[in-house]
Structure formats: C-alpha cells, structure tokens
Amino acid sequence: HAPFYGEGGIGIVFNSNARPDILEAAISFAADLTGPNHSLPLVTSVGTLIDPYRYSHFENVGDENSAESKVYIGDGWNHESILQWQQSTIQAFEHSNGVKDLGIYGKTQYTGELGFESILTDFLSEKKSSEGSRSTLEKTWAHLTARYGKDVQQKLYRKSLGLPTSAFELPIVILCIVLFSILSLIALTIKNRRLQKKLREEKQNSSALKRITKWTNLISNNPASRLVKVLQDVQSGKKVDMEVIAELLSRIKSHKGGDFYKPELNADEFAKVSEDNKAFADYLKYNLMNNFFDTSAGSSSGSMNLNRSNRSGSLASDKAASDKAICDILRTVSDKSAVGSPMQNFRPDSPFSKSLNNVDELLARDDLWIPNDAIKRLENIGCWNIDPFHVSSISNGHPILTIMYNIFTTDLDLGTHQSGGMLKRLKINERKFWKYVQVIESQMRPENVYHNATHVADVVHNMLWLLRDGELAGRLGLCEWEVFASLFACMIHDFDHPGVSNDFLVRTSHKRAILYNNQSVNENWHVAQAFGLLNREDG
C-alpha cells in the first residue's frame, strides 16, 4: 500500500527582470502566504484544492474551540470530519511508502478538467446521464491506455516507489556488475604483467649501468681527480668524511712518480675485467672514458680529441703513450671543473672594475656621446604595460638613457611634484647628468642574462609607476629630492654587476669579496663605483 499525497498545490512564479525591491517583496509575500500563519485558510477552503502540507495545519484541532478548529468549521467542516482528515493525512505523511506525487504521464488527463474527475463531477451534478458518463469514461480510459500503455503506467508507478519495473531488471543489474568485475580483473592482470616485464627490463638496465659506472670510476680513480672531488664537496657545503681525506693524503704522499692524474688501471678489479673481455676493456680504457668526460665536462681540443676509431690493440700496444693520453684527458677535465673556476661569462678583474678603466676613454671622446635630440621619445612612459625589451630594441641598446630622459623631460605628476624640469629645479648640471647616465649604462654588461641594462631600465620604470600611479610619492609626502633619489637609486642599483652572486664571489675568494670583507659584496660595489664616478672632476 502506497498512500498518495501532495495532489494540488500553489504555483508561484517570479519575474527575474523585476526590480530588486519588487522581487524581494514578492518573495517575502510568497513565504508569508505559504507559511504556518496564513496557509491554513488555503487548505480548509474547498475551492483551492490544496491538501494539508504542514503539521501545523492540524495543531490543536483536537480542541473543538481552538483557533485552528474554528478556521475549519468556518469553511463548512464538522469536528468529526476534521479529526478523520487529520488521521488519514498524518498516516500518509509518515508512511514509509508515501508518494508525494504520481509521476505518471497524462496525470492531468486522469484528474484534470477533461479527465475522470470532471466526468464524475458532471454525473454527480446530473449534467450527464449515467450511461453517457459510463461511455465517456470508457472512451477516455481506452484513449489513455492506448496512448501511454498500461505497462508503461505500471512501470512509472513502480519506479516512483523505488521498485523494479520488470522481473528482469534485478538480474540484469547483477549480471552487469559481474561482467564489470571480470573485465576489471582482466585489465588489472594485463597491467600487472606489463609492469612485471618493465621491472625486469629496468633491473637489467640498472645492472648494466652499475657495471659501466664501476668501470668508469676505475678509470677516473686517480689522486688528483679524487682531490678535486673533495674540494668541490667542501665548496658546495657538503660534509666530507675526514677518513676519506686522510686516506687520500696518504695515497698522495705514497704515490710513486710525478703524475697524480695517472689512473690506477692495474687494479685487481680492472685486471679481472680485462681477463673476462679484453676487447671491451680496451674500448673502455681508450674510448668510453673519453665519451664519459666529453659528456660531463664538454669536449676540448688537443688531448681530448682521441681517435675513437682506434679500438684495436694498436693503442693498447703502446701502453706508455696511451696512459699519457688518459692522464692528459683527466687533467683537462679536472682543470675545467676545478674549485673556484670562473663562470663562462664571468671575467675576474682587479678590485677596481673595468668601469674605471673604460671611463677615461669614454670621457675623452666627444663622438661617443648620444645627443639629447637623438634619444627616442616614448608615448607610453609611466604606463604599467611598457615593454623594456622593446625600449632597448628601438633605442639601439640604450634603455636606461631612454627611460631616464623621457621621465625627466615629460610632465608626470609624482605626488606634489612634476618630473619635467626637475633637474633644473634641483640645480643639477644637465650636461653632466646625461653623461653620467650614459656612463652608468655603458658599464652594464650585455652578456649578463639578467643583470643587464634592460633589467635596470625596467626597475627604474617600475619605481616611476609606484611613485605616480601607486601614489607612493603623495602618500609618503616625499620632497623633490627624495623623488629624484628614488629614481637615481634604481638606476645605479646594479652598476657594473659581474653576473654572479655574492656567494660565488665569497666562495671563490674574489678580490671584491676581500675588499668588502664578504659583506654584501655586490651591493657595496655597485654604490661605491657609482658614487666614485660622481667625484670625478673630468666629467
């Protein structure tokens, strides 16, 4: 038994295009209308066709004189019918199989204006005869049954109750689950076999790699290479085993002969390899080793270019010459990877950089300076989206000069000050200032990937944006000298940058690091060199 409730109801539609205040009022009205305070008269009135849908609709109906009972009685109910209606409705509400709505197609044709209810209403009101009503009911039933099908209606009703719609539905579901489980098991089995095969291959490759690594380690096992390796570990901050150092020093002291790069190719383990496969041992000794070091340190001329086609015993026959070639290879590789070796683009220099060496020539020649009227004008100076790489391109590699010139020749509001005419108001010699800017830019090394003139120009322009659009100058109340100093500091902040970090300079005991006692080496250098230029009398 599945009691049905919820037939009929209130449909409320809101216009999404209505004004917010009207929409809010409509929603408030709907909530109030359907709430416990005002919905009871809608339920008790016969004309609304609304069934009770709240427990509050039956509150206090046991008392014939209660306010709720009086609402029912006022609409023509007697107390006994109220209690019967309460009992049947509450049972339907709380029944485990209760159905809120019959999900059957054509339901309105069963119960609507042209459906069974209307036919029965006409018969009861004596508008139609019993024979005519019976005939109409039969035709309507036949029409609905033909249109939707009895089986379809039964399935829909069973589905609304959560019951199987056919005798085969449950077995089919179980069969699908079983088939899915079997297919999943097959897929897992295939995947497992593939993983096992891949694991076996990786084990074989790993074993071969370990053998090759062991043999190449034998070749590079010489006192000099091992000492370089220890020093590299110390440089990188790794903890080195003191027993290893002690053993290495002992080997160096007891090493016979003057060539510390000579590998110990007569070790028992390498001799065993030679006995098992002499051809492979020769190849390993004269070719694989060369390939190995070409990959790790880059090939070089001279001793690094061994003839890799000589895999026969011709090289092996001349043991002294071949051993010397191997020593040369190891010495070259060791020199490339030695502790404190300069980076590709880093040029170790004197404590006073090339900036003070080239400036003399620069100041002495008038033809090297860029005149102000040749500097590119920028329409988007101060805009956040300005492209410093584009500025560098259109200015023929002078982004710092271009950005600085456009700032101080354009009227940009920086707090209470304007950038245009600032140099004149601060009584700064403009001829010397633009020469100074060009000197600063000339010492920014273009080979630096990051710390170059384009980076400096970008930093200067970012500071301009912060001072103006970011309102930094106005909010901090900066005076005109402070605004100028902010832009000036950005211009010199990476002056003559070597392209390496402070840590690199300190670890390599560079003269700059010694000069500044390992404290903020690059930063001290930038400002000292830039301020040193300001003190020159020949600019």
Side-chain angles (χ1 to χ4, degrees):
H1 174 62
F4 168 67
Y5 60 91
E7 173 71 331
I10 301 175
I12 301 175
V13 180
F14 300 105
N15 186 350
S16 60
N17 296 320
R19 293 205 320 262
D21 56 334
I22 295 177
L23 188 60
E24 182 179 0
I27 294 174
S28 177
F29 170 74
D32 197 47
L33 178 67
T34 57
N37 295 330
H38 298 97
S39 60
L40 182 58
L42 298 176
V43 171
T44 60
S45 178
V46 178
T48 61
L49 296 178
I50 299 178
D51 294 334
Y53 58 88
R54 290 180 176 275
Y55 282 100
S56 62
H57 293 160
F58 295 107
E59 283 185 356
N60 304 318
V61 295
D63 182 3
E64 188 174 356
N65 296 318
S66 66
E68 290 78 8
S69 296
K70 289 181 179 179
V71 175
Y72 278 94
I73 294 172
D75 282 329
W77 296 68
N78 60 57
H79 193 246
E80 183 179 355
S81 61
I82 296 173
L83 297 178
Q84 290 176 353
W85 185 234
Q86 177 195 28
Q87 181 180 4
S88 59
T89 303
I90 295 298
Q91 285 179 352
F93 279 175
E94 298 179 349
H95 197 285
S96 58
N97 292 331
V99 180
K100 294 182 178 179
D101 202 352
L102 286 177
I104 299 177
Y105 294 120
K107 183 184 68 174
T108 56
Q109 298 183 41
Y110 286 101
T111 60
E113 183 178 351
L114 301 177
F116 295 154
E117 286 188 351
S118 297
I119 298 171
L120 293 174
T121 301
D122 290 343
F123 168 70
L124 294 175
S125 61
E126 298 182 354
K127 291 181 181 180
K128 286 188 178 181
S129 64
S130 60
E131 183 63 27
S133 299
R134 184 186 65 78
S135 176
T136 305
L137 285 171
E138 286 180 354
K139 290 179 181 180
T140 304
W141 177 260
H143 171 74
L144 291 172
T145 302
R147 180 175 179 182
Y148 299 109
K150 182 179 179 181
D151 292 339
V152 173
Q153 297 181 61
Q154 288 179 340
K155 287 180 179 179
L156 289 171
Y157 184 64
R158 290 176 64 86
K159 188 176 181 179
S160 70
L161 301 178
L163 301 174
T165 57
S166 70
F168 300 102
E169 183 175 329
L170 191 60
I172 290 174
V173 172
I174 295 175
L175 180 62
C176 290
I177 294 174
V178 172
L179 288 175
F180 177 77
S181 301
I182 293 174
L183 291 175
S184 300
L185 184 61
I186 293 173
L188 288 173
T189 302
I190 295 174
K191 185 176 181 180
N192 185 50
R193 290 182 178 178
R194 290 178 179 176
L195 289 174
Q196 288 179 345
K197 181 180 178 181
K198 186 176 180 180
L199 183 61
R200 287 196 298 269
E201 292 175 352
E202 289 182 353
K203 285 183 177 179
Q204 293 174 356
N205 294 337
S206 176
S207 178
L209 181 62
K210 287 180 179 178
R211 289 197 298 272
I212 293 176
T213 302
K214 179 175 66 177
W215 294 333
T216 52
N217 286 340
L218 284 171
I219 288 180
S220 61
N221 184 24
N222 61 82
S225 296
R226 291 172 61 192
L227 179 59
V228 169
K229 177 64 170 60
V230 170
L231 294 176
Q232 288 174 337
D233 290 343
V234 172
Q235 178 184 359
S236 61
K238 295 182 180 178
K239 185 176 181 180
V240 182
D241 190 347
M242 297 305 297
E243 293 183 1
V244 173
I245 296 178
E247 189 271 338
L248 177 59
L249 292 176
S250 176
R251 294 286 293 274
I252 292 176
K253 290 179 181 179
S254 62
H255 191 76
K256 295 180 180 179
D259 197 346
F260 289 95
Y261 288 94
K262 183 176 181 180
E264 299 177 354
L265 299 181
N266 295 323
D268 293 340
E269 195 164 359
F270 193 84
K272 188 181 296 183
V273 173
S274 301
E275 292 175 2
D276 294 341
N277 192 336
K278 187 175 184 303
F280 177 76
D282 291 340
Y283 170 76
L284 178 69
K285 185 175 180 181
Y286 302 108
N287 295 278
L288 179 61
M289 179 203 66
N290 198 16
N291 290 332
F292 172 76
F293 284 114
D294 277 357
T295 301
S296 62
S299 60
S300 63
S301 59
S303 60
M304 289 296 285
N305 293 328
L306 289 180
N307 185 357
R308 293 194 175 107
S309 63
N310 293 332
R311 300 186 182 181
S312 62
S314 60
L315 284 175
S317 62
D318 191 356
K319 184 175 184 302
S322 60
D323 284 355
K324 183 178 184 302
I326 295 171
C327 293
D328 291 340
I329 292 172
L330 294 172
R331 183 180 291 103
T332 304
V333 172
S334 179
D335 290 342
K336 284 179 174 292
S337 59
V339 176
S341 61
M343 295 177 61
Q344 181 179 359
N345 293 328
F346 176 66
R347 299 189 300 274
D349 47 28
S350 64
F352 298 98
S353 102
K354 62 157 190 162
S355 60
L356 295 186
N357 298 327
N358 289 2
V359 168
D360 294 336
E361 179 184 357
L362 189 63
L363 293 175
R365 296 179 55 183
D366 293 334
D367 60 316
L368 297 178
W369 302 106
I370 300 174
N372 291 352
D373 56 3
I375 300 174
K376 186 76 175 179
R377 299 297 302 185
L378 302 176
E379 295 182 358
N380 57 343
I381 188 69
C383 297
W384 176 255
N385 293 326
I386 195 171
D387 184 355
F389 294 101
H390 178 67
V391 174
S392 178
S393 176
I394 63 176
S395 63
N396 196 26
H398 295 285
I400 300 177
L401 176 63
T402 304
I403 292 290
M404 292 292 289
Y405 184 79
N406 276 269
I407 290 175
F408 290 113
T409 58
T410 306
D411 289 333
L412 302 173
D413 293 327
L414 306 179
T416 58
H417 317 288
Q418 282 194 331
S419 59
M422 183 176 290
L423 298 180
K424 182 178 293 186
R425 291 193 299 273
L426 295 177
K427 299 180 180 180
I428 295 174
N429 187 316
E430 294 189 42
R431 183 187 66 82
K432 288 188 175 182
F433 179 77
W434 295 122
K435 274 191 174 184
Y436 181 83
V437 173
Q438 293 184 54
V439 171
I440 292 293
E441 187 166 54
S442 70
Q443 309 309 311
M444 297 305 302
R445 305 184 184 189
E447 65 268 20
N448 289 350
V449 177
Y450 181 77
H451 293 99
N452 50 42
T454 304
H455 161 68
V456 171
D458 188 33
V459 173
V460 171
H461 193 269
N462 287 342
M463 175 55 72
L464 171 65
W465 188 92
L466 290 172
L467 290 169
R468 189 182 72 157
D469 295 76
E471 301 180 3
L472 185 64
R475 291 177 180 273
L476 296 181
L478 300 182
C479 70
E480 201 162 21
W481 271 112
E482 289 171 328
V483 171
F484 174 80
S486 301
L487 297 167
F488 183 85
C490 292
M491 180 181 70
I492 68 170
H493 86 279
D494 272 336
F495 177 57
D496 191 31
H497 199 292
V500 294
S501 65
N502 290 337
D503 185 60
F504 182 90
L505 297 174
V506 170
R507 288 180 179 273
T508 56
S509 298
H510 191 271
K511 293 180 179 180
R512 292 188 186 182
I514 297 174
L515 180 65
Y516 295 111
N517 197 27
N518 296 344
Q519 303 298 314
S520 303
V521 181
N522 276 325
E523 289 72 23
N524 278 310
W525 179 262
H526 302 325
V527 70
Q529 294 296 294
F531 283 4
L533 286 175
L534 292 175
N535 290 325
R536 293 185 64 123
E537 299 293 339
D538 53 353

